[in-house]
DNA sequence: GAATGTGAAGGCTTTCACAGCT
DNA sequence: AGCTGTGAAAGCCTTCACATTC
């Protein structure tokens, strides 16, 4: 998603596929749990189950990192934890700023799994002067005016945006101008950033909508595929581009209709 | 991610690719914005820009829904809003429960984009008796004991889990047993669910770790590829599986080392 | 002329299945 | 005997580029 990297020849034997990178944190979490229970080694099968993937995928993923397993035995837990941590860059410390300390921003600031594993909340920033100085998660909320100073002073390269949608792009621009090159965006907006800046987004309502799509399918199946099938065969040409559209789904959901399962 | 559907022959001409489904909400959001500004039609180029994708992808995506555009002209905004909403199942009302009303759960309950567009928070549930009855986002927090009643009573098919990791699987099991078939999981755990139940996860620390991975790469490039190259050519056989691993990255991030860009 | 809809090509990801090591 | 590491096959997804339609 929005890798934003300048077109790299993709040469490098070092190119770990994006899909693999996205799973490394999962493996790391499962391994850390094993490590805490002092389990010394683990097979691809066991680890894959713990991480919720299949073992072939896991082995392929690990093969991009190197040959860290032992045939006939499995993987050394501690060693893998170390290797994956290093690969992900978690053996160094990443200062992070959170901008927008509303409900969500505060929740993020309080989130435990944040501070551990290489990430450190360097500052909380909010545009509301009334919030300034308030303590959240043990840190004082600072005013947006200080954003550039904070980023430069703390060598922050990762910024978290938890502002309302309307403010997100401007905050993003300022973060980037100040030196941030990775952004985690919780605001429901598409951010545009220059090349070389990575953006990842987390969007509650998108996730819900995807779930709703599949729910709808399930409901359709339950009452026989007949209905869906009928819709399918509707000669598309017959659609009249101005009949239904007049009624956009009102703010309080119209057509409660069938009700799922 | 974790589609969990029973192996479907994938026959149906109606099979919209998962990647397309995941983008429909994006298009819908962009279209809604246009609709509010009373823009009547939009080209694939314009809409694609607004949604942050390229126009070929957008057209291909729309082609799975049907031929809703007009050559030489573009797409009718209202009509598309309606069609995508219908496709996503947003023309009906989806009652949702949120379990775990801590910082994050409260933030989710208060999230505006939630209530609109077909989703309605039917109840907030928490295991802490001290929380019971407290009002959050205009709704009373109810105790976990009532979970099954609430789900059945409100015909809830979508559940949001915002509990600590340790409680997530049990909550999930209870939701599913009570009839929930879609779960949005904010707890940092892999949930296991029976076939036919969809799970999507939102995980802050995974996202941060992915960003850190790319940040690290950027930093490496800045100081010349030499270092990375050297690591690459390390004869893997020489790696000694018990040298470094003894020191797992301590809870407070060791090896602060180089410091990124 | 302008912009959609879509086969075909190209890339990426997953899965298979087995050779190779311990 | 057991389990990793990996070519090769299969399946998705994206991008191209152009015939088609308005």
């Amino acid at each position: 998603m929005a890798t934003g990297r300048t077109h790299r020849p993709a040469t490098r034997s070092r190119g770990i596929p994006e899909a693999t990178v996205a799973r490394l944190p999962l493996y790391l979490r499962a391994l850390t749990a094993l490590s805490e229970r002092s389990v010394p080694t683990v097979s691809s099968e066991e680890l894959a189950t713990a991480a919720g993937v299949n073992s072939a995928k896991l082995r392929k993923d690990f093969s991009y990192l190197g040959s860290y397993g032992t045939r006939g035995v499995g993987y050394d837990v501690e060693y893998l934890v170390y290797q994956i941590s290093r690969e992900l860059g978690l053996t160094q410390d990443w200062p992070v700023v959170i901008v927008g300390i509303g409900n969500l921003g505060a929740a993020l600031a309080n989130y435990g799994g944040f501070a551990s594993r290489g990430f450190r909340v360097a500052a909380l920033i909010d545009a509301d002067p009334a919030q300034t100085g308030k303590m959240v998660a043990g840190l004082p909320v600072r005013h947006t005016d200080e954003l550039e100073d904070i980023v430069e002073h703390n060598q922050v390269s990762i910024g978290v945006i938890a502002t309302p949608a309307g403010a997100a792009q401007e905050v993003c621009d300022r973060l980037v101008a100040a030196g941030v090159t990775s952004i985690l965006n919780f605001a429901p907006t598409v951010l545009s950033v220059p090349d070389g800046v990575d953006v990842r987004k987390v969007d509650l309502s998108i996730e819900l909508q995807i779930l709703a799509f599949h729910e709808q399918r399930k409901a359709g199946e339950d009452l026989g595929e007949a209905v869906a099938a009928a819709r399918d065969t509707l000669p598309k040409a017959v659609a009249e581009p101005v009949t239904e559209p007049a009624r956009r789904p009102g703010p309080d959901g119209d057509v409660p209709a069938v009700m799922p399962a």
Side-chain angles (χ1 to χ4, degrees), chain A residues 148-166:
Chain A
E148 286 78 6
D149 281 350
I150 294 170
V151 169
E152 282 154 32
H153 230 82
N154 295 277
Q155 300 255 49
V156 173
S157 52
I158 302 179
V160 175
I161 297 180
T163 64

Side-chain angles (χ1 to χ4, degrees), chain A residues 178-253:
Chain A
V180 166
T181 46
S182 287
I183 287 179
L184 181 50
N185 180 30
F186 285 83
T189 312
V190 174
L191 293 179
S192 72
V193 294
D195 243 40
V197 174
D198 284 325
V199 176
R200 296 191 66 88
K201 67 167 178 301
V202 172
D203 195 314
L204 169 64
S205 75
I206 287 182
E207 299 300 326
L208 281 177
Q209 288 174 35
I210 295 171
L211 287 175
F213 172 88
H214 293 297
E215 269 307 311
Q216 180 174 234
R217 291 292 159 110
K218 293 178 204 165
E221 270 163 38
D222 291 350
L223 44 94
E225 304 255 9
V227 180
R231 265 203 322 210
D232 280 6
T233 47
L234 245 183
K236 67 169 189 176
V238 170
E240 290 167 46
V242 203
T243 319
E244 296 125 323
R247 45 201 279 299
R248 255 193 298 123
D252 198 54

Side-chain angles (χ1 to χ4, degrees), chain A residues 35-70:
Chain A
S35 166
E36 268 155 17
R37 292 171 30 219
S38 301
V39 176
T41 61
V42 66
S43 71
S44 64
E45 199 71 58
E46 296 166 319
L47 185 53
T49 303
V53 305
N54 73 48
S55 62
K57 196 186 280 181
L58 177 143
R59 286 200 303 278
K60 184 63 113 181
D61 284 343
F62 285 180
S63 79
Y64 294 116
L65 308 184
S67 296
Y68 293 155
T70 307

Side-chain angles (χ1 to χ4, degrees), chain A residues 12-180:
Chain A
R12 304 312 307 284
S13 66
R14 218 59 197 333
I16 298 178
E18 193 57 33
T20 295
V21 171
R23 280 186 296 266
L24 292 181
L26 241 68
Y27 301 143
L28 183 55
R29 181 175 290 157
L31 284 164
T32 304
L34 291 172
S35 166
E36 268 155 17
R37 292 171 30 219
S38 301
V39 176
T41 61
V42 66
S43 71
S44 64
E45 199 71 58
E46 296 166 319
L47 185 53
T49 303
V53 305
N54 73 48
S55 62
K57 196 186 280 181
L58 177 143
R59 286 200 303 278
K60 184 63 113 181
D61 284 343
F62 285 180
S63 79
Y64 294 116
L65 308 184
S67 296
Y68 293 155
T70 307
R71 290 168 204 239
V73 178
Y75 300 92
D76 181 285
V77 172
E78 296 298 314
Y79 187 59
L80 250 193
V81 165
Y82 174 79
Q83 290 298 345
I84 296 179
S85 296
R86 187 175 56 77
E87 202 63 63
L88 285 172
L90 304 182
T91 48
Q92 60 184 270
D93 179 67
W94 297 101
V96 167
V97 292
I98 302 176
V99 186
I101 311 302
N103 268 301
L104 179 61
L108 297 177
N110 278 297
Y111 175 51
F114 212 138
S116 69
R117 300 248 141 265
F119 301 99
R120 180 170 50 80
V121 180
L124 307 178
I125 303 176
D126 198 281
D128 180 2
Q131 295 282 311
T132 307
K134 225 178 80 179
M135 296 299 282
V136 172
L139 290 169
V141 176
R142 302 175 62 179
H143 191 265
T144 317
D145 289 347
E146 301 180 79
L147 189 149
E148 286 78 6
D149 281 350
I150 294 170
V151 169
E152 282 154 32
H153 230 82
N154 295 277
Q155 300 255 49
V156 173
S157 52
I158 302 179
V160 175
I161 297 180
T163 64
Q169 183 65 59
E170 197 203 316
V171 166
C172 174
D173 292 344
R174 288 180 62 185
L175 286 172
V176 170
V180 166

